[in-house]
Amino acid sequence: MLDVAVREALAAAVGAQNVISDPVKLRSYECDGLTGIRQIPGLVVLPHDTDEVAAAVRVCHEHRVPFVARGAGTGLSGGAMPVADGVVISLQRLRRVLEVDPLDRRAVLQPGVTNIDITKAAAPYGLYYAPDPSSQQVCTIGGNVAENSGGAHCLKYGFTTNHVLSVTVVLADGEVVTLGGDTGEQLGPDLRGVFIGSEGTLGIACEVTVRLLRVPETVRTLLADFPSVTAAGEVVSDIVAAGIVPAAVEMMDNLAIQAAEKAVGAGYTLTTPAALVVELDGPAAECAAQFEQVKEICDRHGCTRLHIAGDTAERARIWMGRKAAFAAVGRISPDYIVQDGVVPRTRLAEVLGRIEEMGQEAGLRVANVFHAGDGNLHPLVLFDDDAGELERAEQLSKDIAELCVELGGSLSGEHGIGTDKACSMPRMFGIDDLSTMDRVRSAFDPDRLCNPGKLLPTPRLCGERPGRYRPHPLEEAGVIERL
């Protein structure tokens, strides 16, 4: 339980009315979107601006209390899970669009602004914000920065890091600094780039300046069915090999299609084994020419149905089906785990085949929906907790993530490592790599108060055994230390 002095100091920093200590209300903050891992925090504070965030962090630093920044709580890796007897600093009240500059095409935002609201604020000027995670209606720019989120259109436009010019950060001791600049560059090391994707372990983003893009002249979207996942995967490879860079290429297998169609009625074919959503944008003449090439490639690989969106409303309906897929899976399974990994595009068919085999061996179904253009998979492991399937589902999810590494990919594309995959990091990185990451983290936060227990493996996180203390292998190697 937190010391009375800490409670009083936090109340003085942000106002007593903005400190939550009621045990029932604290449960609202015990997990993020990864609901299988929970921890009730000691306190939650609700600051209104950067100064109040910094004041709260200074209190935590003075009293050596760990703290976790939290946005909308939509993350899927346990990155915002609280620390026992620690403080959650909720950023939900920092949700103002501070500035939209149509001349320099940028916007200045507080971290609680939702992804979709950035584009809504820019739309009157013919501009938009390109990264578009499936949860863009509710996820926030602060969380996007923490995880370096992408979305369906990252194939052509890149991830969050490609669109953030600067970040105003409260460091672990309460100091306020700005990383980056008006152009996204600064002298010396790229600290802006180091911070983006650090999952809240280096500080708290309190203002974010993002780059805005002009709305494309033309957007063309098609939905194509295929007789197999393999055929759909070959289409993706051939499109890229033809020199075409679509705005987006998304793939869904039959399980995901069934769930999405039942949820939103997007016009998907319930019986097709696989479907691609392909979108091109840019100058009208270029789109028209490339669209014909894409249709020819689809036909070459046995496309069984090709539907072209006739207007903006129909295009939105197709995308609604794709972006509703995660939540829609709840219609075909009582419980599920969303995984996130990356493989080379050329190995999509192979990894999907392996995932199917692994699911059969575990006696569980796996639905697949993913950003096919850049090989970012989102397998959804379906299970029934009441039937005692949770342990098998968690193991299968972990095995799928590590399979991605085995096939030349990575543990995460955009959902982050958090607590979910920290213990798998040694499968992807060597001792020297992990040691370097740990040293960078220590430079920002030598006391390990800022979102501890996330991203990098630790003995307690990765399974201490009862009895006499035994050093973790990474501790013996000098990569981590016991505090």
Side-chain angles (χ1 to χ4, degrees):
M1 187 172 181
L2 285 173
D3 189 272
V4 173
V6 176
R7 295 168 179 261
E8 292 177 348
L10 287 171
V14 301
Q17 72 277 15
N18 299 314
V19 178
I20 298 175
S21 58
D22 181 274
V24 175
K25 293 180 179 179
L26 288 176
R27 284 192 173 276
S28 299
Y29 299 86
E30 67 183 354
C31 67
D32 57 12
L34 186 69
T35 57
I37 307 175
R38 298 170 184 262
Q39 176 63 60
I40 298 174
L43 286 177
V44 174
V45 296
L46 300 161
H48 290 84
D49 56 30
T50 301
D51 289 342
E52 290 189 354
V53 173
V57 170
R58 283 194 294 271
V59 171
C60 291
H61 182 259
E62 178 183 349
H63 294 272
R64 295 297 186 266
V65 174
F67 60 90
V68 177
R70 178 187 174 97
T74 59
L76 294 166
S77 63
M81 189 183 75
V83 178
D85 292 329
V87 173
V88 167
I89 299 177
S90 172
L91 305 172
Q92 65 189 45
R93 292 181 176 173
L94 280 78
R95 52 191 181 206
R96 289 190 297 135
V97 177
L98 300 174
E99 179 187 0
V100 176
D101 181 349
L103 296 179
D104 287 329
R105 298 185 186 176
R106 63 186 182 188
V108 183
L109 318 154
Q110 289 188 313
V113 174
T114 62
N115 180 284
I116 192 67
D117 280 345
I118 306 173
T119 289
K120 287 180 179 178
Y125 307 100
L127 304 172
Y128 77 111
Y129 180 64
D132 60 336
S134 296
S135 58
Q136 67 180 150
Q137 300 286 343
V138 290
C139 70
T140 60
I141 187 63
N144 292 173
V145 168
E147 306 293 356
N148 190 26
S149 302
H153 292 81
C154 61
L155 172 62
K156 182 173 182 178
Y157 292 105
F159 288 74
T160 299
T161 190
N162 303 110
H163 299 270
V164 170
L165 300 173
S166 67
V167 188
T168 298
V169 177
V170 175
L171 298 177
D173 61 357
E175 181 184 359
V176 180
V177 299
T178 297
L179 309 179
D182 291 342
T183 64
E185 304 293 335
Q186 66 182 56
L187 294 175
D190 180 16
L191 298 179
R192 178 207 62 88
V194 170
F195 184 83
I196 296 171
S198 61
E199 303 190 23
T201 62
L202 306 183
I204 302 177
C206 288
E207 284 187 17
V208 184
T209 301
V210 300
R211 176 184 290 112
L212 302 174
L213 302 181
R214 186 156 299 284
V215 173
E217 177 185 335
T218 303
V219 179
R220 302 288 302 278
T221 306
L222 65 79
L223 174 64
D225 296 343
F226 293 92
S228 68
V229 169
T230 299
E234 290 171 349
V235 168
V236 176
S237 295
D238 282 4
I239 287 174
V240 176
I244 301 170
V245 182
V249 182
E250 300 289 293
M251 187 188 297
M252 301 170 69
D253 70 5
N254 184 257
L255 272 177
I257 290 167
Q258 288 186 44
E261 186 61 21
K262 289 176 182 177
V264 301
Y268 294 172
T269 305
L270 287 173
T271 56
T272 189
L276 287 179
V277 177
V278 182
E279 186 161 283
L280 302 174
D281 66 12
E286 178 185 281
C287 269
Q290 291 186 344
F291 206 70
E292 293 304 315
Q293 286 180 271
V294 170
K295 289 195 294 182
E296 189 276 326
I297 292 170
C298 288
D299 289 339
R300 192 193 315 155
H301 289 280
C303 176
T304 55
R305 172 182 176 247
L306 193 148
H307 178 73
I308 300 170
D311 53 33
T312 301
E314 194 169 10
R315 172 176 169 259
R317 191 161 58 249
I318 290 173
W319 278 113
M320 186 184 299
R322 163 58 187 90
K323 295 195 173 188
F326 286 1
V329 167
R331 291 173 174 263
I332 62 173
S333 177
D335 303 287
Y336 62 92
I337 297 172
V338 181
Q339 191 47 272
D340 166 53
V342 180
V343 296
R345 276 190 302 265
T346 54
R347 306 195 77 169
L348 279 174
E350 179 183 0
V351 73
L352 292 171
R354 292 276 296 276
I355 289 173
E356 183 178 6
E357 292 172 3
M358 292 161 66
Q360 290 173 351
E361 291 172 3
L364 298 170
R365 297 178 298 164
V366 181
N368 289 286
V369 51
F370 51 94
H371 311 311
D374 60 354
N376 187 185
L377 306 173
H378 293 315
L380 297 106
V381 179
L382 314 184
F383 69 99
D384 185 348
D385 193 11
D386 291 341
E389 296 176 345
L390 174 60
E391 187 174 341
R392 274 186 291 145
E394 289 179 335
Q395 185 62 49
L396 176 56
S397 179
K398 176 184 177 182
D399 291 344
I400 289 172
E402 294 184 353
L403 171 65
C404 291
V405 177
E406 177 189 326
L407 296 181
S410 70
L411 289 170
S412 175
E414 57 178 341
H415 292 177
I417 300 298
T419 56
D420 185 37
K421 291 183 278 191
C423 298
S424 295
M425 286 286 275
R427 301 295 293 268
M428 182 173 174
F429 297 103
I431 289 176
D432 290 343
D433 300 317
L434 292 170
S435 177
T436 299
M437 295 178 199
D438 191 58
R439 290 177 65 188
V440 170
R441 182 170 183 170
S442 295
F444 279 80
D445 178 20
D447 297 315
R448 310 300 178 91
L449 298 177
C450 192
N451 207 14
K454 314 292 168 54
L455 188 60
L456 296 178
T458 64
R460 184 164 298 280
L461 179 65
C462 299
E464 288 181 339
R465 289 169 288 181
R468 183 176 60 83
Y469 176 72
R470 299 174 177 85
H472 187 278
L474 290 176
E475 185 179 355
E476 292 178 330
V479 176
I480 57 178
E481 61 183 10
R482 187 171 186 249
L483 299 178

